[in-house]
Amino acid sequence: MTFLIKILEYFARRKFRRSSNLIIGENTILKYRKIRCVDNINTLKVGKNSYIDCNIVFEKKRSAIVIGDNTFIGSSMLVCAQEISIGNNVQVAWGCTFLDHNSHSLDYKIRRKDLPATFIGNKDWGVVKTQSIRIADDVWIGFNSIILKGVSVGKGSIVAAGSVVVKDVPSFVVVAGNPATIVKYLSE
């Protein structure tokens, strides 16, 4: 492991210094640009033999990101208010975004309060819809794809580059487009 990687991991651990919720597996490289936590009551768990290179944003307390073994995440962004779960042997290309919440209320009067409340660390998440994201084993997610709240991507599926996934993807299919739809069935 290079000296730079050791320094990055040191700073990642400092972000979580008041909790034991940072678990990095053996032979894993956690190379990040930014990890934003809320009161260090977040969980980041990465399995063994993985390479993770992304921005990680925890929006709420007790939110969790769990990444499996032998998984690659290129320069992407994980934004978590509830839970993002990524399985084993998953490949995520560069420029992808995972977002497990709507960010804001649909009511403009409530949205007006978001920025001032965020500055003082008091955003009302009770009016924002959140739902976990689940990515099964052996999934491949192409460049610049967006995975939105409540989505499950089934085992062995492929999300084509530039796709926006807004609903569940079954196992062993290729989805593409905005919104992503099935374009091909794969053999197991």
Side-chain angles (χ1 to χ4, degrees):
M1 193 181 303
T2 67
F3 181 69
L4 179 59
I5 297 300
K6 286 182 180 180
I7 290 172
L8 289 173
E9 284 186 357
Y10 168 78
F11 284 109
R13 290 183 192 285
R14 284 195 58 192
K15 284 277 190 186
F16 287 85
R17 68 187 175 274
R18 290 183 218 129
S19 88
S20 60
N21 296 334
L22 174 64
I23 302 160
I24 300 174
E26 180 181 330
N27 295 323
T28 285
I29 295 173
L30 177 60
K31 182 179 174 187
Y32 67 93
R33 286 168 201 77
K34 175 172 99 172
I35 295 180
R36 189 180 86 191
C37 300
V38 179
D39 292 340
N40 295 312
I41 308 175
N42 303 113
T43 298
L44 175 59
K45 179 180 178 186
V46 183
K48 62 185 178 186
N49 302 316
S50 293
Y51 183 92
I52 309 303
D53 176 12
C54 58
N55 288 329
I56 297 169
V57 178
F58 292 102
E59 297 278 26
K60 291 173 48 180
K61 295 178 182 180
R62 293 175 181 75
S63 53
I65 297 174
V66 179
I67 301 169
D69 299 334
N70 196 40
T71 291
F72 171 85
I73 301 177
S75 180
S76 293
M77 185 165 213
L78 306 177
V79 184
C80 181
Q82 187 170 335
E83 182 182 23
I84 298 174
S85 173
I86 299 173
N88 300 318
N89 304 305
V90 173
Q91 303 291 314
V92 178
W94 301 340
C96 296
T97 301
F98 294 72
L99 188 68
D100 73 347
H101 57 85
N102 281 348
S103 297
H104 305 284
S105 169
L106 297 178
D107 183 335
Y108 76 92
K109 291 176 236 146
I110 295 172
R111 282 195 312 269
R112 286 180 181 174
K113 300 174 188 174
D114 275 355
L115 187 58
T118 300
F119 283 143
I120 61 171
N122 198 21
K123 181 176 169 112
D124 181 6
W125 282 97
V127 296
V128 178
K129 187 169 181 181
T130 64
Q131 207 171 354
S132 296
I133 294 173
R134 305 238 182 265
I135 309 298
D137 296 343
D138 301 303
V139 168
W140 174 19
I141 299 175
F143 286 98
N144 293 326
S145 292
I146 300 171
I147 311 296
L148 295 177
K149 73 177 184 319
V151 166
S152 291
V153 179
K155 179 177 175 65
S157 287
I158 299 171
V159 176
S163 297
V164 178
V165 183
V166 297
K167 62 182 181 178
D168 289 350
V169 175
S171 296
F172 299 103
V173 297
V174 177
V175 296
N178 180 5
T181 57
I182 298 172
V183 296
K184 185 175 184 175
Y185 291 88
L186 303 170
S187 63
E188 293 183 35

